[in-house]
Amino acid sequence: METLPLIALLSLFTLGAVVIFAVVSKRKTEQRRANAEIPKSSLATDSRGKGAVEALDDK
């Protein structure tokens, strides 16, 4: 019976850590998408460089 409070505390701590990580990650992603100076992925349709297929064709 004494392990039940410990398991509940650990599960709540883990859930809180996951939620905080998700919020921080979402905020960083939104900031990257809003900034036009940050280079986009070569797989993105709005990238300035070669796409993934063109880069492989050059090899």
Coordinates of all heavy atoms in Angstrom, one line a residue:
M1 N 0.8 -1.2 0.0 CA 0.0 0.0 0.0 C 0.9 1.3 0.0 O 0.4 2.3 -0.4 CB -0.8 0.0 1.3 CG -2.3 -0.1 1.2 SD -3.1 0.0 -0.3 CE -4.5 0.9 0.1
E2 N 2.1 1.2 0.5 CA 2.9 2.4 0.6 C 3.5 2.8 -0.8 O 4.0 3.9 -0.9 CB 4.0 2.2 1.6 CG 4.8 0.9 1.4 CD 5.5 0.4 2.6 OE1 4.9 0.4 3.7 OE2 6.6 0.0 2.5
T3 N 3.5 1.9 -1.8 CA 4.0 2.3 -3.1 C 3.0 3.1 -3.9 O 3.4 3.7 -4.9 CB 4.5 1.1 -3.8 OG1 3.5 0.2 -4.0 CG2 5.7 0.4 -3.1
L4 N 1.8 3.0 -3.6 CA 0.7 3.7 -4.4 C 0.9 5.2 -4.5 O 0.9 5.7 -5.6 CB -0.6 3.3 -3.9 CG -1.8 3.8 -4.7 CD1 -1.8 3.2 -6.1 CD2 -3.1 3.5 -4.0
P5 N 1.2 5.9 -3.4 CA 1.4 7.3 -3.5 C 2.7 7.7 -4.3 O 2.7 8.7 -5.0 CB 1.6 7.8 -2.0 CG 0.9 6.7 -1.2 CD 1.1 5.5 -2.0
L6 N 3.7 6.8 -4.2 CA 4.9 7.1 -4.9 C 4.7 6.9 -6.4 O 5.1 7.8 -7.2 CB 6.0 6.1 -4.5 CG 7.3 6.2 -5.2 CD1 8.0 7.6 -5.0 CD2 8.3 5.1 -4.8
I7 N 4.0 5.9 -6.8 CA 3.6 5.7 -8.2 C 2.8 6.8 -8.7 O 3.0 7.3 -9.9 CB 3.0 4.3 -8.4 CG1 4.0 3.2 -8.1 CG2 2.4 4.2 -9.8 CD1 3.4 1.8 -8.2
A8 N 1.8 7.3 -8.0 CA 1.0 8.4 -8.4 C 1.8 9.7 -8.6 O 1.6 10.4 -9.5 CB -0.2 8.6 -7.4
L9 N 2.7 9.9 -7.6 CA 3.5 11.1 -7.7 C 4.4 11.1 -8.9 O 4.5 12.1 -9.6 CB 4.3 11.3 -6.4 CG 5.2 12.5 -6.3 CD1 4.3 13.8 -6.3 CD2 6.1 12.4 -5.1
L10 N 5.0 9.9 -9.2 CA 5.9 9.8 -10.3 C 5.2 9.9 -11.6 O 5.7 10.5 -12.6 CB 6.7 8.5 -10.2 CG 7.8 8.4 -9.2 CD1 8.3 7.0 -9.2 CD2 8.8 9.4 -9.4
S11 N 4.0 9.4 -11.7 CA 3.2 9.5 -12.9 C 2.7 10.9 -13.2 O 2.8 11.4 -14.3 CB 2.0 8.5 -12.9 OG 1.2 8.8 -11.9
L12 N 2.4 11.6 -12.2 CA 2.0 13.0 -12.3 C 3.2 13.9 -12.7 O 3.0 14.8 -13.5 CB 1.3 13.6 -11.0 CG -0.1 13.1 -10.7 CD1 -0.5 13.6 -9.4 CD2 -1.0 13.5 -11.8
F13 N 4.3 13.6 -12.1 CA 5.5 14.3 -12.5 C 5.9 14.1 -14.0 O 6.2 15.0 -14.7 CB 6.7 13.9 -11.6 CG 8.0 14.6 -11.9 CD1 8.2 15.9 -11.6 CD2 9.0 13.9 -12.6 CE1 9.4 16.5 -11.9 CE2 10.2 14.5 -12.9 CZ 10.4 15.8 -12.6
T14 N 5.8 12.9 -14.4 CA 6.1 12.5 -15.8 C 5.1 13.2 -16.7 O 5.5 13.7 -17.8 CB 6.1 11.0 -16.0 OG1 7.0 10.4 -15.1 CG2 6.4 10.6 -17.4
L15 N 3.9 13.2 -16.4 CA 2.9 13.8 -17.2 C 3.1 15.3 -17.3 O 3.0 15.9 -18.4 CB 1.5 13.6 -16.7 CG 0.3 14.2 -17.4 CD1 0.2 13.6 -18.8 CD2 -1.0 14.0 -16.7
G16 N 3.5 15.9 -16.2 CA 3.8 17.4 -16.2 C 5.0 17.7 -17.1 O 5.0 18.7 -17.8
A17 N 6.0 16.8 -17.0 CA 7.2 17.1 -17.8 C 6.9 16.9 -19.3 O 7.5 17.7 -20.1 CB 8.3 16.1 -17.4
V18 N 6.1 16.0 -19.6 CA 5.8 15.8 -21.1 C 5.0 17.0 -21.6 O 5.2 17.5 -22.7 CB 5.0 14.5 -21.3 CG1 4.3 14.5 -22.6 CG2 5.9 13.3 -21.0
V19 N 4.1 17.5 -20.8 CA 3.3 18.7 -21.2 C 4.2 19.9 -21.3 O 4.1 20.7 -22.3 CB 2.1 19.0 -20.2 CG1 1.5 20.3 -20.4 CG2 1.1 17.9 -20.3
I20 N 5.1 20.1 -20.4 CA 6.0 21.3 -20.5 C 6.9 21.2 -21.7 O 7.1 22.1 -22.4 CB 6.8 21.4 -19.2 CG1 5.9 21.9 -18.0 CG2 8.0 22.4 -19.3 CD1 6.6 21.8 -16.6
F21 N 7.4 20.0 -22.0 CA 8.3 19.8 -23.1 C 7.5 20.1 -24.4 O 8.0 20.7 -25.3 CB 8.8 18.3 -23.1 CG 9.6 18.0 -24.4 CD1 10.9 18.5 -24.5 CD2 9.1 17.3 -25.4 CE1 11.6 18.2 -25.6 CE2 9.8 17.0 -26.5 CZ 11.1 17.4 -26.6
A22 N 6.2 19.6 -24.5 CA 5.4 19.9 -25.7 C 5.1 21.4 -25.9 O 5.2 21.8 -27.0 CB 4.1 19.1 -25.6
V23 N 4.9 22.1 -24.8 CA 4.6 23.5 -25.0 C 5.8 24.3 -25.4 O 5.8 25.1 -26.3 CB 4.0 24.1 -23.6 CG1 4.0 25.6 -23.6 CG2 2.7 23.5 -23.3
V24 N 7.0 23.9 -24.8 CA 8.2 24.6 -25.2 C 8.6 24.3 -26.7 O 8.9 25.2 -27.5 CB 9.4 24.2 -24.3 CG1 10.7 24.7 -24.8 CG2 9.1 24.8 -22.9
S25 N 8.4 23.0 -27.1 CA 8.7 22.6 -28.4 C 7.8 23.3 -29.4 O 8.2 23.8 -30.5 CB 8.6 21.1 -28.6 OG 8.8 20.7 -29.9
K26 N 6.5 23.4 -29.1 CA 5.5 24.1 -30.0 C 5.9 25.6 -30.1 O 5.8 26.1 -31.2 CB 4.1 24.0 -29.4 CG 3.0 24.6 -30.2 CD 1.7 24.4 -29.6 CE 0.6 24.9 -30.4 NZ 0.4 26.3 -30.3
R27 N 6.3 26.2 -29.0 CA 6.7 27.6 -29.1 C 7.9 27.8 -30.0 O 7.9 28.8 -30.8 CB 6.9 28.2 -27.7 CG 7.2 29.7 -27.7 CD 7.3 30.2 -26.3 NE 6.1 29.9 -25.5 CZ 6.0 29.7 -24.2 NH1 7.1 29.8 -23.5 NH2 4.9 29.5 -23.6
K28 N 8.9 27.0 -29.9 CA 10.1 27.1 -30.7 C 9.8 26.9 -32.2 O 10.3 27.5 -33.1 CB 11.1 26.1 -30.3 CG 11.9 26.5 -29.0 CD 12.9 25.4 -28.7 CE 13.6 25.8 -27.4 NZ 14.7 24.7 -27.1
T29 N 8.9 25.9 -32.5 CA 8.5 25.6 -33.8 C 7.8 26.8 -34.4 O 8.0 27.2 -35.6 CB 7.6 24.3 -33.9 OG1 8.4 23.3 -33.3 CG2 7.2 24.0 -35.3
E30 N 6.9 27.4 -33.7 CA 6.1 28.5 -34.2 C 7.0 29.7 -34.5 O 6.9 30.5 -35.4 CB 5.0 28.9 -33.2 CG 3.9 27.9 -33.2 CD 2.8 28.3 -32.2 OE1 3.1 29.1 -31.3 OE2 1.8 27.6 -32.2
Q31 N 8.1 29.9 -33.6 CA 9.0 31.0 -33.8 C 9.8 30.7 -35.1 O 10.1 31.7 -35.8 CB 9.9 31.2 -32.6 CG 9.2 31.8 -31.4 CD 10.1 31.8 -30.2 OE1 11.2 31.1 -30.1 NE2 9.6 32.5 -29.1
R32 N 10.2 29.5 -35.3 CA 11.0 29.2 -36.5 C 10.2 29.4 -37.8 O 10.7 29.9 -38.8 CB 11.5 27.7 -36.5 CG 12.8 27.5 -35.8 CD 13.3 26.1 -35.9 NE 13.8 25.8 -37.2 CZ 15.0 26.0 -37.6 NH1 15.9 26.6 -36.8 NH2 15.5 25.6 -38.8
R33 N 8.9 29.0 -37.7 CA 8.1 29.2 -38.9 C 7.8 30.6 -39.2 O 7.6 31.0 -40.4 CB 6.7 28.4 -38.7 CG 6.9 26.9 -38.7 CD 5.7 26.2 -38.5 NE 4.7 26.4 -39.6 CZ 3.5 26.2 -39.5 NH1 2.9 25.8 -38.4 NH2 2.7 26.4 -40.6
A34 N 7.7 31.5 -38.2 CA 7.4 32.9 -38.4 C 8.6 33.7 -38.9 O 8.4 34.7 -39.5 CB 6.9 33.5 -37.1
N35 N 9.8 33.2 -38.6 CA 11.0 33.9 -39.0 C 11.4 33.5 -40.5 O 11.7 32.4 -40.7 CB 12.2 33.6 -38.1 CG 13.4 34.5 -38.3 OD1 13.5 35.2 -39.2 ND2 14.3 34.5 -37.3
A36 N 11.5 34.5 -41.4 CA 11.8 34.2 -42.8 C 13.3 34.0 -43.0 O 13.7 33.4 -44.0 CB 11.3 35.3 -43.7
E37 N 14.1 34.4 -42.1 CA 15.6 34.3 -42.3 C 16.1 33.0 -41.9 O 17.2 32.6 -42.3 CB 16.3 35.4 -41.5 CG 15.9 36.8 -42.0 CD 16.7 37.9 -41.2 OE1 17.6 37.5 -40.4 OE2 16.4 39.0 -41.4
I38 N 15.4 32.2 -41.2 CA 15.9 30.9 -40.8 C 15.7 29.9 -42.0 O 14.6 29.9 -42.5 CB 15.1 30.3 -39.5 CG1 15.4 31.2 -38.3 CG2 15.5 28.9 -39.3 CD1 14.6 30.8 -37.1
P39 N 16.7 29.2 -42.4 CA 16.6 28.3 -43.5 C 15.6 27.2 -43.3 O 15.6 26.6 -42.2 CB 18.0 27.8 -43.7 CG 18.7 28.0 -42.5 CD 18.1 29.2 -41.8
K40 N 14.9 26.9 -44.3 CA 13.9 25.8 -44.2 C 14.5 24.5 -44.6 O 15.6 24.5 -45.2 CB 12.7 26.1 -45.0 CG 12.0 27.5 -44.8 CD 11.4 27.5 -43.4 CE 10.6 28.8 -43.2 NZ 11.1 29.6 -42.2
S41 N 13.8 23.5 -44.4 CA 14.3 22.1 -44.8 C 14.3 22.1 -46.3 O 13.5 22.7 -47.0 CB 13.3 21.1 -44.2 OG 13.6 19.8 -44.8
S42 N 15.2 21.2 -46.8 CA 15.2 21.0 -48.3 C 14.0 20.3 -48.8 O 13.7 20.3 -50.0 CB 16.5 20.3 -48.7 OG 16.5 19.0 -48.1
L43 N 13.3 19.6 -47.9 CA 12.1 18.9 -48.2 C 10.9 19.8 -48.3 O 9.8 19.5 -48.8 CB 11.8 17.8 -47.3 CG 12.9 16.7 -47.2 CD1 12.5 15.7 -46.1 CD2 13.0 16.0 -48.5
A44 N 11.0 21.0 -47.7 CA 9.9 22.0 -47.7 C 9.7 22.6 -49.1 O 10.6 22.8 -49.9 CB 10.1 23.1 -46.7
T45 N 8.4 22.9 -49.4 CA 8.1 23.5 -50.7 C 8.6 24.9 -50.9 O 8.8 25.3 -52.0 CB 6.6 23.4 -51.0 OG1 6.0 24.1 -49.9 CG2 6.1 22.0 -51.0
D46 N 8.9 25.6 -49.7 CA 9.3 27.0 -49.8 C 10.8 27.1 -49.6 O 11.3 28.2 -49.4 CB 8.5 27.8 -48.8 CG 8.8 27.4 -47.4 OD1 9.3 26.3 -47.2 OD2 8.4 28.1 -46.5
S47 N 11.6 26.1 -49.7 CA 13.0 26.2 -49.5 C 13.7 26.9 -50.7 O 13.2 26.8 -51.8 CB 13.6 24.8 -49.3 OG 13.7 24.1 -50.5
R48 N 14.8 27.5 -50.4 CA 15.5 28.2 -51.5 C 16.5 27.3 -52.2 O 16.9 27.6 -53.3 CB 16.2 29.4 -50.9 CG 15.3 30.4 -50.3 CD 16.0 31.6 -49.7 NE 15.2 32.2 -48.7 CZ 15.6 32.8 -47.6 NH1 16.9 33.1 -47.5 NH2 14.8 33.3 -46.7
G49 N 16.9 26.3 -51.5 CA 17.9 25.4 -52.1 C 17.3 24.3 -53.0 O 16.1 24.3 -53.3
K50 N 18.2 23.4 -53.3 CA 17.7 22.2 -54.1 C 16.8 21.3 -53.3 O 17.0 21.2 -52.0 CB 18.9 21.4 -54.6 CG 19.8 22.1 -55.6 CD 20.9 21.2 -56.0 CE 21.8 21.9 -57.0 NZ 22.8 21.0 -57.5
G51 N 15.9 20.7 -53.9 CA 15.1 19.7 -53.2 C 15.9 18.4 -52.9 O 17.0 18.3 -53.4
A52 N 15.3 17.5 -52.2 CA 16.0 16.3 -51.9 C 16.3 15.5 -53.1 O 17.4 14.9 -53.2 CB 15.2 15.5 -50.9
V53 N 15.4 15.4 -54.1 CA 15.6 14.6 -55.2 C 16.7 15.2 -56.1 O 17.6 14.5 -56.6 CB 14.3 14.5 -56.0 CG1 14.6 13.7 -57.3 CG2 13.3 13.7 -55.2
E54 N 16.8 16.5 -56.3 CA 17.8 17.1 -57.1 C 19.2 17.0 -56.5 O 20.2 16.8 -57.2 CB 17.5 18.6 -57.3 CG 16.3 18.9 -58.2 CD 15.0 19.1 -57.4 OE1 15.1 19.0 -56.2 OE2 14.0 19.2 -58.1
A55 N 19.2 17.0 -55.1 CA 20.5 16.8 -54.4 C 21.0 15.4 -54.6 O 22.2 15.2 -54.8 CB 20.4 17.2 -53.0
L56 N 20.2 14.4 -54.7 CA 20.6 13.1 -54.9 C 21.0 12.8 -56.3 O 21.9 12.0 -56.6 CB 19.5 12.1 -54.5 CG 19.2 12.0 -53.0 CD1 18.0 11.1 -52.8 CD2 20.4 11.4 -52.3
D57 N 20.4 13.5 -57.3 CA 20.7 13.4 -58.7 C 22.1 13.9 -59.0 O 22.7 13.4 -59.9 CB 19.7 14.1 -59.6 CG 18.3 13.3 -59.6 OD1 18.3 12.1 -59.3 OD2 17.3 14.0 -60.0
D58 N 22.6 14.9 -58.2 CA 23.9 15.5 -58.5 C 25.0 14.5 -58.1 O 26.1 14.7 -58.5 CB 24.0 16.8 -57.7 CG 23.1 17.9 -58.3 OD1 22.7 17.7 -59.5 OD2 22.9 18.9 -57.7
K59 N 24.7 13.6 -57.2 CA 25.8 12.7 -56.7 C 26.2 11.7 -57.8 O 25.7 11.3 -58.6 CB 25.4 11.9 -55.5 CG 25.3 12.9 -54.3 CD 25.0 12.1 -53.0 CE 24.9 13.1 -51.9 NZ 24.7 12.5 -50.6

